[in-house]
């Protein structure tokens, strides 16, 4: 949870409570600042809470914990990066309402096969607070929306890039196989000296040799990696080879499960990848939906409530008989579809964010949805039709766009995170 300066000054003014007798006094340690981040702070209590969560996660995975000071440094750096993004979200007016947060908690519980009450009990059994879990989910939702606004919207894929990808051997392979990967990143900052680059490369080579000699990848990632997924043992989840920057796209295709790549220099530093699992192959019939939508975005000059009200007014105008396409051209802030009357054509539901996909899937063909919110803003959508299709040309192109966007997004995200970290004022107190 974010803590404003005014929130920790007040307890300090209260002072420590003394025991009633003069013969013995008990000094109770107060919470303290462990890092100043721009206009905010990170408290020792926040660091301790996150450390406990990470330690429990690592223990459940069966991995060996790194030395405490190493884990503390990794967790504190993660909190600093989160804090910077949360401040950006606050300045941008991003808010998570109680209803939306409750829905997110319900979705998390459902994915784990639990009711909300069962989820609450499971957290308590692990010694975790339900209130802390809600706060963490809200923070992650804010961070996701900040990244969508600052990173995802800058990623563009041209028609020529799509065709080049589909024509390549890698593109053909990419559509049939997936890899679950883990990574270790040793960062190199912008403007690093040759000596700093050489030191990072030497450090990565040393880690590579340790891994080849049998060292545990997840443990080294937790202790040494600067990647966003370090505290998850470097686990990146499932990726297509084409989502990865060259030369990783070609390297992992030839690797068996359990093997690692040699260190490779990237814009963010030196990276080692490990193939955890493989899957895929064969043509599959997939469901596609023809849908159009109007997107209204909150901004510095339009609050969340104002964006919602505008979406509701447009919904009522369409229900009253006004043309959806004309309103989309006039009001929608989705640059990819507004000029086409909001039409997304035939699209794979899995290529859409969960909030959009769930509303679309529950809306009958020919019907209009009520206004709803996604990480991009407020939407009104209309489902035009549904169909089952094999790997058609259109479907393959949509898959290629998704792969290329994800590849560019990963690269852009790491660059952006490094940039905001370098530009922020950070003073570590421990």
């Amino acid at each position: 949870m974010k803590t404003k300066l005014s929130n920790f000054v007040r307890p300090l003014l209260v002072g420590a409570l003394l025991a009633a007798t003069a013969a013995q006094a008990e000094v109770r340690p107060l919470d303290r600042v462990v890092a100043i981040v721009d206009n905010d702070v990170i408290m020792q209590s926040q660091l301790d809470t996150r450390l406990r969560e990470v330690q429990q996660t690592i223990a459940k995975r069966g991995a060996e914990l790194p030395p405490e000071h190493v884990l503390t440094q990794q967790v504190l750096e993660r909190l600093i990066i989160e804090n910077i993004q949360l401040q950006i979200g606050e300045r941008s007016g991003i808010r998570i309402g109680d209803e939306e947060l409750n829905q997110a908690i319900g979705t998390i519980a459902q994915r784990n096969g639990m009711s909300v009450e069962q989820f609450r009990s499971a957290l308590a059994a692990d010694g975790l607070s339900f209130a802390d879990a809600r706060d963490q989910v809200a923070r992650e939702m804010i961070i996701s929306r900040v990244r969508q606004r600052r990173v995802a919207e800058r990623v563009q894929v041209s028609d020529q890039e799509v065709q080049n990808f589909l024509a390549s051997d890698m593109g053909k392979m990419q559509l049939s196989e997936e890899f679950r990967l883990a990574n270790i990143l040793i960062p190199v900052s912008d403007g690093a000296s040759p000596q700093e680059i050489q030191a990072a490369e030497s450090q990565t080579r040393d880690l590579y040799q340790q891994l080849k000699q049998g060292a545990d990848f997840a443990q080294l990632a937790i202790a040494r990696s600067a990647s966003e997924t370090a505290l998850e043992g470097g686990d990146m989840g499932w990726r297509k080879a084409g989502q990865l920057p060259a030369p990783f796209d070609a390297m992992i295709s030839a690797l068996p499960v359990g093997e690692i790549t040699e260190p490779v220099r990237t814009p963010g530093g030196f990276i080692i990848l490990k193939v955890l699992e493989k899957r895929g192959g064969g043509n599959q019939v997939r469901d596609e939906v023809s849908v159009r939508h109007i997107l209204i975005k909150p901004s510095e000059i339009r609050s969340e409530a104002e964006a919602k009200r505008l979406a509701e007014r447009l919904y009522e105008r369409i229900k009253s008989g006004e043309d959806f396409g004309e309103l989309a051209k006039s009001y929608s802030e989705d640059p990819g579809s507004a000029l086409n009357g909001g039409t997304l054509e035939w699209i794979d539901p899995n290529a859409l964010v969960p909030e959009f996909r769930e509303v679309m899937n529950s809306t009958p063909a020919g019907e209009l949805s009520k206004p709803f919110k996604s990480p991009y803003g407020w939407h009104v959508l209309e489902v035009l039709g549904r169909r089952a299709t094999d790997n058609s040309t259109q479907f393959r192109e949509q898959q290629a766009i998704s792969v290329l966007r994800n590849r560019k997004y990963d690269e852009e995200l790491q660059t952006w995170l490094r940039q905001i970290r370098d530009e922020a004022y950070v003073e570590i107190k421990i």
Side-chain angles (χ1 to χ4, degrees):
M1 183 188 301
K2 293 186 69 182
T3 307
K4 293 297 183 185
L5 288 169
S6 59
N7 292 341
F8 74 84
V9 170
R10 190 178 299 109
L12 294 178
L13 297 178
V14 176
L17 294 177
L18 300 178
T21 64
Q24 182 178 2
E26 180 184 1
V27 178
R28 299 182 185 273
L30 297 172
D31 203 358
R32 67 189 182 102
V33 175
V34 294
I36 298 172
V37 184
D38 281 338
N39 298 320
D40 205 352
V41 296
I42 297 171
M43 305 299 292
Q44 182 71 53
S45 57
Q46 293 173 266
L47 179 58
D48 291 342
T49 297
R50 186 64 67 85
L51 268 172
R52 285 194 300 270
E53 294 171 359
V54 171
Q55 287 166 344
Q56 289 180 1
T57 300
I58 295 171
K60 285 182 177 180
R61 196 183 295 123
E64 183 179 347
L65 287 170
E68 185 173 351
H69 73 279
V70 173
L71 187 60
T72 299
Q73 182 179 7
Q74 282 280 59
V75 172
L76 180 57
E77 185 61 28
R78 173 74 67 87
L79 286 172
I80 289 170
I81 294 294
E82 287 181 6
N83 191 285
I84 296 169
Q85 294 172 89
L86 289 168
Q87 290 189 61
I88 293 172
E90 184 174 4
R91 292 194 297 269
S92 301
I94 297 174
R95 302 286 186 272
I96 306 298
D98 286 341
E99 181 179 353
E100 186 179 4
L101 182 55
N102 290 336
Q103 289 177 350
I105 293 291
T107 300
I108 293 171
Q110 186 178 22
R111 287 174 182 169
N112 286 276
M114 304 178 187
S115 67
V116 173
E117 285 305 315
Q118 290 171 330
F119 181 58
R120 183 194 295 265
S121 299
L123 289 171
D126 287 338
L128 301 175
S129 161
F130 183 70
D132 288 343
R134 278 176 58 87
D135 289 339
Q136 181 60 24
V137 171
R139 289 195 295 269
E140 289 175 359
M141 292 173 71
I142 291 171
I143 288 171
S144 174
R145 291 179 187 178
V146 167
R147 292 179 177 183
Q148 289 291 344
R149 293 188 184 185
R150 298 299 181 93
V151 181
E153 292 186 353
R154 295 191 293 185
V155 176
Q156 301 295 327
V157 177
S158 69
D159 291 341
Q160 189 61 53
E161 287 177 303
V162 170
Q163 296 308 317
N164 290 344
F165 176 77
L166 289 173
S168 69
D169 291 338
M170 179 54 63
K172 296 171 185 176
M173 180 280 299
Q174 155 63 20
L175 296 179
S176 63
E177 194 168 21
E178 284 185 293
F179 304 88
R180 181 169 159 245
L181 303 173
N183 74 338
I184 292 176
L185 167 66
I186 302 302
V188 175
S189 61
D190 293 335
S193 67
Q195 292 78 11
E196 289 172 329
I197 296 174
Q198 185 177 4
E201 182 177 13
S202 177
Q203 183 181 355
T204 313
R205 281 285 171 190
D206 177 63
L207 292 175
Y208 176 75
Q209 292 302 323
Q210 292 182 50
L211 292 168
K212 295 299 286 185
Q213 293 168 12
D216 184 84
F217 193 98
Q219 186 179 353
L220 283 183
I222 293 167
R224 304 286 292 278
S225 177
S227 169
E228 271 284 288
T229 62
L231 295 177
E232 289 73 47
D235 193 337
M236 301 165 60
W238 289 95
R239 303 292 175 93
K240 299 285 191 181
Q243 293 175 278
L244 301 169
F248 287 120
D249 50 2
M251 294 173 71
I252 66 168
S253 300
L255 285 180
V257 172
E259 287 298 313
I260 61 173
T261 67
E262 291 201 12
V264 173
R265 177 76 160 93
T266 71
F270 292 91
I271 295 181
I272 301 171
L273 288 183
K274 179 177 181 179
V275 179
L276 301 177
E277 296 180 71
K278 291 185 179 183
R279 71 183 182 192
N283 292 336
Q284 296 180 355
V285 174
R286 299 177 185 268
D287 293 328
E288 293 182 324
V289 181
S290 177
V291 63
R292 58 182 178 177
H293 79 127
I294 297 173
L295 170 63
I296 305 299
K297 298 180 182 180
S299 65
E300 286 77 5
I301 60 174
R302 178 194 290 142
S303 69
E304 188 78 38
E306 289 170 337
K308 180 182 179 182
R309 284 195 293 271
L310 177 54
E312 290 171 343
R313 287 197 298 271
L314 292 172
Y315 169 78
E316 294 298 335
R317 290 172 65 176
I318 296 169
K319 293 286 285 185
S320 298
E322 291 194 49
D323 185 81
F324 189 112
E326 291 304 315
L327 290 176
K329 291 177 182 178
S330 299
Y331 290 96
S332 182
E333 295 174 278
D334 177 10
S337 68
L339 294 179
N340 297 323
T343 302
L344 297 176
E345 301 296 344
W346 292 101
I347 192 167
D348 177 7
N350 293 320
L352 303 168
V353 295
E355 295 87 348
F356 194 101
R357 181 173 64 245
E358 290 169 10
V359 173
M360 184 182 72
N361 287 343
S362 63
T363 303
E367 295 290 330
L368 190 68
S369 77
K370 291 184 177 180
F372 66 95
K373 190 176 182 183
S374 83
Y376 294 100
W378 284 89
H379 305 258
V380 176
L381 69 77
E382 181 183 10
V383 175
L384 303 176
R386 291 186 168 88
R387 71 182 183 187
T389 183
D390 203 340
N391 289 340
S392 63
T393 300
Q394 188 177 29
F395 174 76
R396 286 167 56 81
E397 289 177 351
Q398 187 61 50
Q399 288 291 91
I401 290 171
S402 178
V403 167
L404 293 170
R405 281 186 61 85
N406 287 335
R407 175 197 290 177
K408 289 186 175 184
Y409 177 83
D410 284 346
E411 293 178 345
E412 188 68 30
L413 175 61
Q414 291 302 323
T415 300
W416 181 73
L417 289 175
R418 189 172 65 252
Q419 176 186 342
I420 63 173
R421 177 64 172 86
D422 290 344
E423 292 174 352
Y425 172 78
V426 176
E427 183 179 347
I428 296 175
K429 295 289 190 178
I430 57 173

